[in-house]
Amino acid sequence: MMRTGLMLNNKPHSAAHIVRLNDCKLPSIEPMLKRFRHRGVSRYTPILCYKASIRCSRTSGFTNCQRIQCYNAPAAEFFHDDKAPQDHVLPSNSREDATKYFDFVVIGSGIAGLRYALEVSKHGSVAVITKAEPHESNTNYAQGGVSAVLCPLDSVESHMRDTIVAGAYLCDEETVRVVCTEGPDRVKELIAIGASFDYGEDGNLHLAREGGHSHRRIVHAADMTGREIERALLKAVDNDLGITLFEHHFAIDLLTSQDGLEIRCHGVDTLNTETNQVIRFLSKVTLLASGGAGHIYPTTTNPLVATGDGIAMAHRAHAVISNMEFVQFHPTALAEEGLPIKPVDRENAFLITEAVRGDGGILYNQSMERFMPMYDDRAELAPRDIVARSIDDQLKKRGEKFVFLDISHRPKYKILSHFPNVTAQCLRYGIDITKQPIPVVPAAHYMCGGVRAGLHGETSIKGLYAAGEVACTGLHGANRLASNSLLEALVFSQRAIGPSVAACKAAGSDLSIGRGPDMWAWPIVPRPLSQGALSQIMQKTRSLRRQLQEVMWDYVGIVRSTERLEKAKRRLREVEGEWEGYLFRWGWGPRMVGVEACEMRNLVCCAKLVVRSALARHESRGLHFTVDFPHVEESMRLPTLIFPSSTVDVTWSTQQLHKHPSWSLD
């Protein structure tokens, strides 16, 4: 039966808030909504998804409702009860040896995860789980710096104002105040841990300025700030005996239980990619700090690990997801088409830091005509969404592949001292930025949306906290202000410590919280099939991954339309259906795991969330610009909230593995 939905007050609000209901009755959801409300968000438009049409009543908190059709993913034809031959799979390993118990589990080894781990290790045992090498995170690639009010001429109010303006007035004001107020102390703590930043001739921290900022407030280490922060934090973690670092452990799914409306997290299943074993981590508290989902697009500044794993896991666990339509495209990534020496097998786009424009860099089209003043009075110092759209407009009008960013008019010694990494990388490809302009093009860079988190990093799932890019705290609104991301990660990883420690103590001495490791069905590692079968599966996965990325780039990019978004929704369903069908026809079971397959599963999930959110917002605000609704609508100044939806139609990307039926006896 087709699912139907209800819209509050018969008004076409932008926010699509999805709630899971029982098939046979409509329970009161007010307790759930109270728990999900973010501070300062009192107006929202829940859309309720369920199987049968029902009648609204005041007891359920909704009046004046109308039916609408909701997002409807295809049923997976391969999730039948038929058993595949058992020689396709084997039990992953000894259950007892494969289960690890910790007070705190941290998923991700960037700035948020490591800073949190260093504090909670004072109160219990900590596991830090990282997908690749510990340093391989978005933090490590951050060039610009950390924004904080550290100059006497600056103020918290000024930083707040810049953040809210850049965020197109969708920011949560209380969150903005908390972050801007607490930011300076968090930076000083980083310095105390051992991070080394640049200082000026006066002996004070050298503060840079970037687009959207009214003052110099960017603390930096040349143009390699993230690398320096990651180095200092990893060194501190290595010296902390209370922290165990598990590298090359791919997080598969969160382990959750449900009692009525309350969902609780008990840990996470992982795949040790070096031993090909499933390792189960049970914990009292779990922090998601796994970064963003840049690789839903073909061109991104993100490292290969940024495949939306945390957001997808949280969505499958029925956490609230927010503001996924706001994908930030950095205006200035190095454009391969304009380089004399072409990169070979480069995994991500090289970022040309915002600080280049902040230090006087000028944008030109290929006729060397400066164009930013035509689009915004702030010119090159306008927020990223405006600069990216301006470049996109120039490229489309002129039929060109890139524009130029020129800093060569600045003194050579300043360029070399402020931007040594950018200089070296450009020289590698035949560009001397002290003499030549840099070819640049926008690239996917940052997810402003993610797992909805409150003022202490709490999510809608008990025992699960989120910090960093994986979280949506309300700070960024519809567009992130430059260098606010590292700041947000520092502030919220710190704010999550108090409630995390309290939750750990409340759980007592039982690390499994009354639940044994076999409460959840185990993921299964495939026994090697024929080389031909494995090769076919991986080849198909890579091909369809590229198709997914092209769909997102072509139809869900910098400028959107309803028609293109609807086409993206259809194409994603086709890609998902084709991919999952192919896997299972080759004997892949619904609880089998492999890195490339699980990454594709997460990319599909996140791509659908972005499209779903974009279709719900009938206005242009910040990073979401649609030609069908080109103006800002004050009545739609609301966050987009996606609540857990009905699972009538199940696909591999939308349901936790341990909830799928198994075709084998393990």
Side-chain angles (χ1 to χ4, degrees), residues 379-399:
E380 283 78 10
L381 291 178
R384 290 177 177 176
D385 61 324
I386 294 172
V387 179
R389 276 198 303 276
S390 302
I391 294 174
D392 183 71
D393 187 58
Q394 284 285 304
L395 297 180
K396 288 175 178 175
K397 284 180 176 178
R398 297 173 58 84

Side-chain angles (χ1 to χ4, degrees), residues 199-215:
Y199 286 79
E201 296 178 357
D202 59 0
N204 295 318
L205 285 166
H206 182 271
L207 302 176
R209 184 182 177 190
E210 296 181 348
H213 289 273
S214 58
H215 292 76

Side-chain angles (χ1 to χ4, degrees), residues 336-355:
E336 293 187 11
E337 291 87 349
L339 297 176
I341 303 173
K342 305 299 181 186
V344 178
D345 297 327
R346 185 168 180 86
E347 297 172 347
N348 59 339
F350 179 74
L351 175 70
I352 306 299
T353 174
E354 188 99 4

Side-chain angles (χ1 to χ4, degrees), residues 8 28 30 57-63:
L8 182 61
S28 173
E30 187 60 23
S57 69
R58 290 187 180 275
T59 58
S60 65
F62 295 89
T63 58

Side-chain angles (χ1 to χ4, degrees), residues 14-17 38 41 44 167-172 311 320-328 446-453 469-480 488 560 606 609-617 619 621-624 636-643:
S14 63
H17 310 319
H38 190 282
V41 179
Y44 42 80
Y169 298 92
L170 196 66
C171 308
D172 181 82
I311 296 172
V320 177
I321 309 296
S322 185
N323 287 355
M324 287 293 287
E325 67 269 39
F326 299 120
V327 181
Q328 187 172 79
Y446 188 87
M447 299 295 297
C448 290
V451 183
R452 192 71 175 179
E469 189 175 351
V470 72
C472 180
T473 66
L475 173 68
H476 305 309
N479 175 52
R480 177 173 70 84
E488 179 194 37
R560 303 163 178 175
C606 289
L609 289 172
V610 171
V611 173
R612 184 176 181 178
S613 298
L615 280 168
R617 185 167 291 280
E619 65 163 349
R621 185 182 296 273
L623 297 163
H624 174 72
M636 297 182 182
R637 187 158 62 91
L638 305 166
T640 306
L641 300 176
I642 299 179
F643 285 104

Side-chain angles (χ1 to χ4, degrees), residues 276-521:
N276 210 32
Q277 290 183 315
V278 170
I279 305 297
R280 174 161 288 174
F281 290 85
L282 294 181
S283 64
K284 300 173 184 176
V285 177
T286 302
L287 176 78
L288 267 182
S290 52
H295 281 275
I296 61 174
Y297 292 94
T299 304
T300 176
T301 62
N302 293 182
L304 279 177
V305 295
T307 52
D309 307 327
I311 296 172
M313 287 192 299
H315 178 64
R316 289 193 291 266
H318 288 178
V320 177
I321 309 296
S322 185
N323 287 355
M324 287 293 287
E325 67 269 39
F326 299 120
V327 181
Q328 187 172 79
F329 291 82
H330 198 287
T332 55
L334 195 61
E336 293 187 11
E337 291 87 349
L339 297 176
I341 303 173
K342 305 299 181 186
V344 178
D345 297 327
R346 185 168 180 86
E347 297 172 347
N348 59 339
F350 179 74
L351 175 70
I352 306 299
T353 174
E354 188 99 4
V356 172
R357 285 186 286 121
D359 207 38
I362 297 174
L363 285 164
Y364 297 98
N365 58 32
Q366 291 187 30
S367 298
M368 295 309 292
E369 299 166 339
R370 188 183 183 189
F371 57 84
M372 276 310 303
M374 295 189 301
Y375 295 95
D376 194 279
D377 291 341
R378 292 163 290 185
E380 283 78 10
L381 291 178
R384 290 177 177 176
D385 61 324
I386 294 172
V387 179
R389 276 198 303 276
S390 302
I391 294 174
D392 183 71
D393 187 58
Q394 284 285 304
L395 297 180
K396 288 175 178 175
K397 284 180 176 178
R398 297 173 58 84
E400 296 172 348
K401 297 292 187 180
F402 58 88
V403 298
F404 288 116
L405 175 61
D406 190 18
I407 191 71
S408 63
H409 55 278
R410 298 285 288 162
K412 182 175 181 178
Y413 78 93
K414 286 192 174 182
I415 296 174
L416 296 178
S417 62
H418 290 178
F419 310 112
N421 188 37
V422 170
T423 301
Q425 287 293 324
C426 288
L427 276 175
R428 181 180 177 186
Y429 302 119
I431 299 290
D432 182 351
I433 71 170
T434 67
K435 301 176 181 178
Q436 300 167 273
I438 309 167
V440 294
V441 68
H445 181 60
Y446 188 87
M447 299 295 297
C448 290
V451 183
R452 192 71 175 179
L455 283 174
H456 291 88
E458 72 277 14
T459 71
S460 56
I461 296 177
K462 296 293 184 181
L464 179 67
Y465 296 81
E469 189 175 351
V470 72
C472 180
T473 66
L475 173 68
H476 305 309
N479 175 52
R480 177 173 70 84
L481 180 64
S483 288
N484 265 3
S485 56
L486 295 179
L487 176 69
E488 179 194 37
L490 285 172
V491 169
F492 278 91
S493 59
Q494 176 69 33
R495 292 182 68 85
I497 292 164
S500 295
V501 171
C504 181
K505 291 179 178 178
S509 60
D510 184 4
L511 284 170
S512 65
I513 319 180
R515 300 179 184 277
D518 292 322
M519 173 186 170
W520 302 272

Side-chain angles (χ1 to χ4, degrees), residues 80-399:
H80 293 302
D81 292 329
D82 307 299
K83 287 188 177 181
Q86 292 186 22
D87 62 352
H88 281 264
V89 298
L90 78 164
S92 58
N93 48 324
S94 167
R95 303 307 189 218
E96 185 175 344
D97 294 342
T99 305
K100 300 184 182 298
Y101 298 86
F102 286 87
D103 293 311
F104 304 92
V105 162
V106 179
I107 304 172
S109 61
I111 185 173
L114 296 182
R115 190 67 192 91
Y116 175 90
L118 286 168
E119 293 300 318
V120 296
S121 68
K122 301 170 185 175
H123 305 276
S125 57
V126 183
V128 175
I129 298 166
T130 183
K131 185 173 176 178
E133 291 77 18
H135 66 270
E136 190 67 3
S137 65
N138 278 355
T139 297
N140 197 54
Y141 288 79
Q143 294 181 19
V146 187
S147 61
V149 178
L150 294 166
C151 173
L153 300 178
D154 199 1
S155 67
V156 168
E157 289 71 22
S158 178
H159 192 182
M160 288 182 61
R161 183 168 54 252
D162 292 346
T163 298
I164 291 169
V165 170
Y169 298 92
L170 196 66
C171 308
D172 181 82
E173 187 171 342
E174 186 172 2
T175 300
V176 175
R177 182 173 297 279
V178 163
V179 172
C180 295
T181 300
E182 298 180 7
D185 287 341
R186 302 291 84 83
V187 172
K188 293 171 185 176
E189 290 166 358
L190 265 186
I191 295 172
I193 289 172
S196 179
F197 298 119
D198 289 357
Y199 286 79
E201 296 178 357
D202 59 0
N204 295 318
L205 285 166
H206 182 271
L207 302 176
R209 184 182 177 190
E210 296 181 348
H213 289 273
S214 58
H215 292 76
R216 288 185 170 270
R217 62 169 69 102
I218 314 302
V219 179
H220 63 99
D223 58 349
M224 296 172 283
T225 308
R227 188 181 305 176
E228 171 57 21
I229 292 173
E230 188 77 9
R231 180 205 63 77
L233 290 175
L234 281 173
K235 182 178 179 181
V237 165
D238 287 342
N239 293 330
D240 193 320
L241 298 179
I243 301 174
T244 306
L245 190 59
F246 294 88
E247 59 184 54
H248 298 288
H249 279 62
F250 181 94
I252 301 167
D253 263 322
L254 298 172
L255 301 171
T256 56
S257 64
Q258 186 165 356
D259 182 8
L261 291 178
E262 181 177 284
I263 302 173
R264 180 173 292 276
C265 181
H266 303 277
V268 63
D269 275 337
T270 70
L271 176 65
N272 183 329
T273 57
E274 293 188 320
T275 65
N276 210 32
Q277 290 183 315
V278 170
I279 305 297
R280 174 161 288 174
F281 290 85
L282 294 181
S283 64
K284 300 173 184 176
V285 177
T286 302
L287 176 78
L288 267 182
S290 52
H295 281 275
I296 61 174
Y297 292 94
T299 304
T300 176
T301 62
N302 293 182
L304 279 177
V305 295
T307 52
D309 307 327
I311 296 172
M313 287 192 299
H315 178 64
R316 289 193 291 266
H318 288 178
V320 177
I321 309 296
S322 185
N323 287 355
M324 287 293 287
E325 67 269 39
F326 299 120
V327 181
Q328 187 172 79
F329 291 82
H330 198 287
T332 55
L334 195 61
E336 293 187 11
E337 291 87 349
L339 297 176
I341 303 173
K342 305 299 181 186
V344 178
D345 297 327
R346 185 168 180 86
E347 297 172 347
N348 59 339
F350 179 74
L351 175 70
I352 306 299
T353 174
E354 188 99 4
V356 172
R357 285 186 286 121
D359 207 38
I362 297 174
L363 285 164
Y364 297 98
N365 58 32
Q366 291 187 30
S367 298
M368 295 309 292
E369 299 166 339
R370 188 183 183 189
F371 57 84
M372 276 310 303
M374 295 189 301
Y375 295 95
D376 194 279
D377 291 341
R378 292 163 290 185
E380 283 78 10
L381 291 178
R384 290 177 177 176
D385 61 324
I386 294 172
V387 179
R389 276 198 303 276
S390 302
I391 294 174
D392 183 71
D393 187 58
Q394 284 285 304
L395 297 180
K396 288 175 178 175
K397 284 180 176 178
R398 297 173 58 84

